[in-house]
Amino acid sequence: MSAQLFVVATPIGHLDDMTFRAIHILKSVAIIAAEDTRQSALLLKHYNISTPLTACHDHNESNKIDIIIERLKHGDDVALVSDAGTPLISDPGFKLVRAAQEHGIRVVPVPGACAAIAALSAVGLPSDHFSFEGFLSSKQSQRLLQLEKLKNNTHTMIIYEAPHRILDSVKDMAQVFGADRAVGFAREITKTFETIKKMTLGELVEFIENDRNQQKGEIVLVIAGATEEKDMESEDLDKLLLRLLQDLSVKAASQLAADLTGIKKKVAYQRALELTEKV
Ligand code: SAM
């Protein structure tokens, strides 16, 4: 059997969130490629794992890949871990996984903790359709542009944010998405000060402003998708309806507008009526 690259998830806080399989694999591979060897050494010590570690992080990933691929081709199994959670999820590892695949090496996921999924599972927002947006830009102008692009998504959106930017970022979200958009706030998941709350973005700004402890630790934001009636810009709807009304009846125009935008037919019909009365 040729060597395999195991992508191993590790805990995001609570050390017990390690699977039996992850421990077994970390004990059995020839080498563990870690984002930060000092961080992973603590986990290995906790589980009495003595497998050698080698650093594989954003800054040396390209150089390290060749060395790791050589080991794999030589027949040595390798495990990839990041500091916390699932490697590649806002963590290094993508280039190594891609290189392994290109060299015909089997890549084996060893699933476990992931902050995004843990947050989604507990905040009480629709989970049937969601997107993971990772970290937004640290530059406000860039961040506002990113938020504008996300604004009309009707699915739930998961965003990672650093504690020192959380207040500014949530204020920007309230400005772009509207203060009444629902948001899940998941902080320090699985740790002593775990905080899981659902409220509106406006309420979250106040909550974070009034309690500086909420600006500490690790945070996931889960933003509700836009509701069709409210978040389709009324100007955009008007433009579309006015154009359709040039060629179609109120009924046909509102039906088509509803099909094209996902807005409720009743809402489109009502607005089309108002527009025809104005003309
Ligand atoms: N690979 C990790 C995963 O699977 O979730 C994510 C790594 S990313 C560098 C770190 C970010 O993940 C943090 O800034 C925070 O947004 C989120 N995160 C990680 N652990 C968390 C926790 N215990 N509670 C809340 N958010 C967490």
Side-chain angles (χ1 to χ4, degrees), residues 12-13 82 84-87 89-91 113-116 135 160-162 186-191 218-220:
I12 55 169
S82 60
T86 303
I89 306 302
S90 290
D91 266 344
C114 173
F135 287 95
Y160 284 170
E161 192 48 283
R187 190 178 74 88
E188 294 288 89
I189 303 167
T190 75
K191 302 190 217 177
E218 298 194 280
I219 300 162
V220 182

Side-chain angles (χ1 to χ4, degrees), residues 76-265:
D76 289 339
D77 282 338
V78 176
L80 169 69
V81 297
S82 60
D83 286 357
T86 303
L88 280 83
I89 306 302
S90 290
D91 266 344
F94 165 64
K95 288 181 192 157
L96 176 60
V97 166
R98 184 179 55 185
Q101 228 180 33
E102 284 167 1
H103 283 84
I105 293 156
R106 186 167 166 223
V107 180
V108 182
V110 183
C114 173
I117 300 302
L120 182 67
S121 72
V123 296
L125 285 169
S127 54
D128 54 338
H129 180 188
F130 63 88
S131 62
F132 173 63
E133 305 297 338
F135 287 95
L136 298 179
S137 174
S138 55
K139 292 201 186 95
Q140 192 190 28
S141 56
Q142 201 56 34
R143 188 163 65 226
L144 287 169
L145 277 177
Q146 291 173 321
L147 292 172
E148 280 295 339
K149 284 193 189 147
L150 300 177
K151 181 170 132 180
N152 292 321
N153 284 345
T154 52
H155 59 260
T156 302
M157 291 158 278
I158 305 174
I159 293 173
Y160 284 170
E161 192 48 283
H164 61 280
R165 270 198 297 271
I166 190 68
L167 185 56
D168 288 343
S169 206
V170 174
K171 279 182 178 170
D172 288 346
M173 289 174 192
Q175 182 191 315
V176 176
F177 295 147
D180 56 354
R181 178 83 68 102
V183 58
F185 177 75
R187 190 178 74 88
E188 294 288 89
I189 303 167
T190 75
K191 302 190 217 177
T192 312
F193 297 106
E194 181 179 87
T195 311
I196 312 260
K197 287 192 176 292
K198 184 172 70 174
M199 54 190 112
T200 65
L201 281 167
E203 288 165 343
L204 184 57
V205 170
E206 266 185 50
F207 178 65
I208 298 172
E209 249 171 353
N210 294 338
D211 179 357
R212 289 192 65 84
N213 285 329
Q214 304 305 331
Q215 297 175 41
K216 293 178 186 161
E218 298 194 280
I219 300 162
V220 182
L221 295 169
V222 185
I223 317 284
T227 50
E228 292 117 10
E229 308 94 282
K230 248 211 273 136
D231 287 293
M232 162 107 197
E233 285 291 340
S234 52
E235 269 177 23
D236 292 345
L237 177 63
D238 285 3
K239 260 191 232 159
L240 176 65
L241 281 171
L242 283 168
R243 176 64 194 87
L244 294 174
L245 285 166
Q246 286 174 9
D247 301 319
L248 300 169
S249 67
V250 169
K251 193 171 169 218
S254 49
Q255 176 66 67
L256 191 51
D259 290 347
L260 289 172
T261 63
I263 208 162
K264 287 215 173 83
K265 194 182 152 200

Side-chain angles (χ1 to χ4, degrees), residues 38-106:
R38 281 167 309 175
Q39 183 72 27
S40 296
L42 300 174
L43 181 77
L44 298 198
K45 188 164 178 243
H46 184 81
Y47 284 103
N48 280 323
I49 299 168
S50 52
T51 310
L53 283 161
T54 186
C56 184
H57 43 69
D58 274 343
H59 307 293
N60 78 348
E61 201 179 2
S62 304
N63 305 334
K64 250 318 166 47
I65 286 172
D66 294 344
I67 300 169
I68 295 172
I69 295 291
E70 271 317 303
R71 294 281 307 249
L72 284 156
K73 280 165 83 179
H74 209 250
D76 289 339
D77 282 338
V78 176
L80 169 69
V81 297
S82 60
D83 286 357
T86 303
L88 280 83
I89 306 302
S90 290
D91 266 344
F94 165 64
K95 288 181 192 157
L96 176 60
V97 166
R98 184 179 55 185
Q101 228 180 33
E102 284 167 1
H103 283 84
I105 293 156
R106 186 167 166 223

